[in-house]
Amino acid sequence: MQPVIDLNSPVGADEFSALMKDVGPWLPDVPEAPVGLAVSGGGDSLALALLARRWRRHVLAFVVDHALRPESGAEAYLTVERLEAMGIKARVLTLAPFPKGRLQERARDARFEALEAACVEAGCLDLLVAHHLHDQDETVWMRHHAGSGPRGLAGMEMTTLRGRIRIVRPCLTLHPDRLRATLRSEGLAWIEDPSNQNRRFERVRWRQDLSSTQRDQAREWQISAQGLRHSEEDELARVLAKSAVWHPAGWVHLAPEGVCESTLPPLIRLVSGRRYRPSREQVQALVLRGEGTLGGVMMRPAGRFGEGVVLVREERAVERPIRVDAEALWDGRWRCNAQNLPTNSLIGAVGDEATRLNARRLGLPKAALRTLPALWQGGQIIGLPDVLAGTGTVPFFWAGGVPVTGESGAIG
């Protein structure tokens, strides 16, 4: 029987330290490697900031101003003042305008892109976010309503890799009332965002409408689904270790026994750099055909590479050339680590210039060669990627996001 917890009881320092130990290990508590905090100014994230500061000396808060409401800028700087009064260094990240439509989804994507870049600049490998028990319930119900299987019903996990940082959710088992009680115990105020009451957003409707019985049901589903998901992940890792070979140039050789419905979705997501896996029905159709394109990836017989198939990026799906800068992520997969590059240079696919190279000698499919990144200037390639050993010199590194196995629930 679960112990009854007083929802008016603040979260203690020892309790929070135990939660953080569960998601460790952690770097030494030094100024060169602060732990990042995503703080909106609301009660949940401000309580997280207070608890994190008790747990660790060197933390750095990032307050994102979405610039969607006239008062949001003033609220962001008020939050910074409150954080600094708590002994927490803080920075405001103001987002550029983004297209209308799917407001919450676009705002979330823009927010985490800004947070990731800010963390990298500040030396933060980890970013704490304040998702709590009720957020988890709502996520599980939303996924259940959408027809998700065990992978979705397992909900959000305590840690998730996103690009170059780790997202940590230490409060997932904490009731939101206890987070607010933690602030009240210190006499601290917070901001209430009116969008959190706007029922045109799906999550708000679930938040307002779920009964306590439905929340209990969500937790039962989640516990059951987590066990199934972990078993599936273990089996997937076993099959991939035996049948898949990942090549640094961004393609995969998959043995015949590995061409199945469980392996293809994560591998397609890996090779394409896309956030989401293709649907089960699409994957089933691809397995039956034995070759074809799906999710920005081409699957075809391996030919000279042996039995099975190769998975390579689909050329017509690659991103157009982009300007080089320190944060440039090209095609959702590659970053350039070179210094002092020409300011008017671009990152784009090798494309037709691949005909000047010998793909066989380089040991990769022609299609993979054509979709590698290169440095362009004035319509000419001025640098090939150093993954082409003995040919390329420009340092590009893979930045495709989460690993094939062990990925967690989506970031909210």
Side-chain angles (χ1 to χ4, degrees):
M1 183 175 179
Q2 293 291 331
V4 177
I5 299 175
D6 180 3
L7 299 184
N8 293 315
S9 64
V11 180
D14 289 344
E15 181 181 0
F16 187 76
S17 293
L19 292 173
M20 300 308 291
K21 184 177 180 180
D22 288 342
V23 291
W26 298 91
L27 292 175
D29 190 359
V30 295
E32 296 82 10
V35 170
L37 311 173
V39 181
S40 66
D44 306 329
S45 62
L46 210 60
L48 171 63
L50 173 64
L51 293 166
R53 181 62 182 84
R54 290 174 178 172
W55 163 70
R56 189 180 179 97
R57 181 180 178 185
H58 296 100
V59 295
L60 176 60
F62 301 104
V63 183
V64 177
D65 174 15
H66 293 84
L68 294 174
R69 295 181 291 116
E71 61 272 26
S72 66
E75 290 174 352
Y77 283 97
L78 172 60
T79 299
V80 167
E81 291 178 6
R82 289 172 172 171
L83 289 164
E84 291 179 343
M86 295 159 57
I88 300 173
K89 294 180 180 179
R91 301 177 185 175
V92 173
L93 308 177
T94 303
L95 302 184
F98 43 84
K100 295 181 179 180
R102 306 199 317 273
L103 182 61
Q104 285 201 321
E105 179 184 344
R106 293 183 186 276
R108 180 184 65 239
D109 291 345
R111 175 168 68 250
F112 275 97
E113 286 177 8
L115 286 167
E116 179 188 341
C119 282
V120 171
E121 181 182 3
C124 306
L125 295 183
D126 300 287
L127 177 71
L128 308 189
V129 296
H131 294 132
H132 50 63
L133 183 61
H134 278 193
D135 292 324
Q136 184 75 289
D137 299 341
E138 294 145 18
T139 295
V140 171
W141 266 100
M142 289 168 67
R143 294 180 180 179
H144 171 73
H145 185 69
S148 292
R151 178 172 298 278
L153 294 182
M156 297 179 284
E157 290 201 6
M158 299 282 276
T159 62
T160 305
L161 296 180
R162 189 194 193 279
R164 296 165 288 174
I165 61 175
R166 185 176 70 135
I167 306 296
V168 183
R169 306 177 179 91
C171 303
L172 275 181
T173 59
L174 298 176
H175 195 288
D177 287 354
R178 295 194 63 210
L179 294 175
R180 286 164 175 74
T182 303
L183 293 177
R184 291 192 188 98
S185 70
E186 298 292 328
L188 297 174
W190 62 88
I191 294 168
E192 294 288 359
D193 185 341
S195 67
N196 291 332
Q197 304 300 320
N198 190 336
R199 288 183 63 85
R200 73 187 179 96
F201 298 127
E202 180 186 10
R203 181 173 288 275
V204 173
R205 295 194 297 273
W206 285 105
R207 181 179 302 144
Q208 294 177 351
D209 295 346
L210 284 180
S211 67
S212 58
T213 301
Q214 287 174 312
R215 290 188 180 278
D216 289 340
Q217 176 65 75
R219 292 161 203 171
E220 291 180 11
W221 285 336
Q222 185 204 357
I223 291 171
S224 176
Q226 279 186 329
L228 290 172
R229 182 167 76 178
H230 292 159
S231 296
E232 289 179 356
E233 288 286 341
D234 289 344
E235 176 62 15
L236 175 61
R238 185 193 68 79
V239 173
L240 289 177
K242 183 178 179 180
S243 62
V245 178
W246 166 254
H247 293 267
W251 61 284
V252 172
H253 176 216
L254 190 60
E257 62 270 21
V259 183
C260 57
E261 294 175 23
S262 63
T263 60
L264 287 178
L267 289 175
I268 288 172
R269 182 171 181 263
L270 172 71
V271 174
S272 69
R274 293 186 176 182
R275 178 175 302 131
Y276 301 112
R277 297 179 174 201
S279 72
R280 183 179 306 172
E281 293 74 18
Q282 291 174 314
V283 173
Q284 289 173 340
L286 180 61
V287 172
L288 287 174
R289 294 196 307 270
E291 61 181 295
T293 58
L294 178 60
V297 171
M298 178 172 59
M299 183 176 86
R300 69 182 192 188
R304 62 187 170 91
F305 297 100
E307 297 182 336
V309 300
V310 292
L311 300 172
V312 298
R313 184 74 164 114
E314 184 183 8
E315 186 173 0
R316 66 179 180 178
V318 299
E319 185 178 7
R320 296 173 64 85
I322 62 172
R323 293 195 176 278
V324 172
D325 64 52
E327 296 300 324
L329 174 64
W330 179 74
D331 199 37
R333 306 180 301 145
W334 296 98
R335 292 188 191 276
C336 182
N337 200 29
Q339 302 295 321
N340 302 318
L341 293 174
T343 55
N344 60 343
S345 57
L346 303 172
I347 300 174
V350 171
D352 289 341
E353 291 297 309
T355 58
R356 301 175 181 270
L357 303 169
N358 189 328
R360 181 178 292 271
R361 182 180 62 81
L362 292 169
L364 69 164
K366 290 181 180 179
L369 177 58
R370 293 181 65 89
T371 57
L372 278 175
L375 202 62
W376 290 77
Q377 186 179 44
Q380 300 290 326
I381 287 182
I382 60 173
L384 291 167
D386 56 357
V387 293
L388 299 176
T391 300
T393 58
V394 180
F396 280 92
F397 64 94
W398 184 263
V402 299
V404 179
T405 59
E407 61 181 298
S408 304
I411 297 169

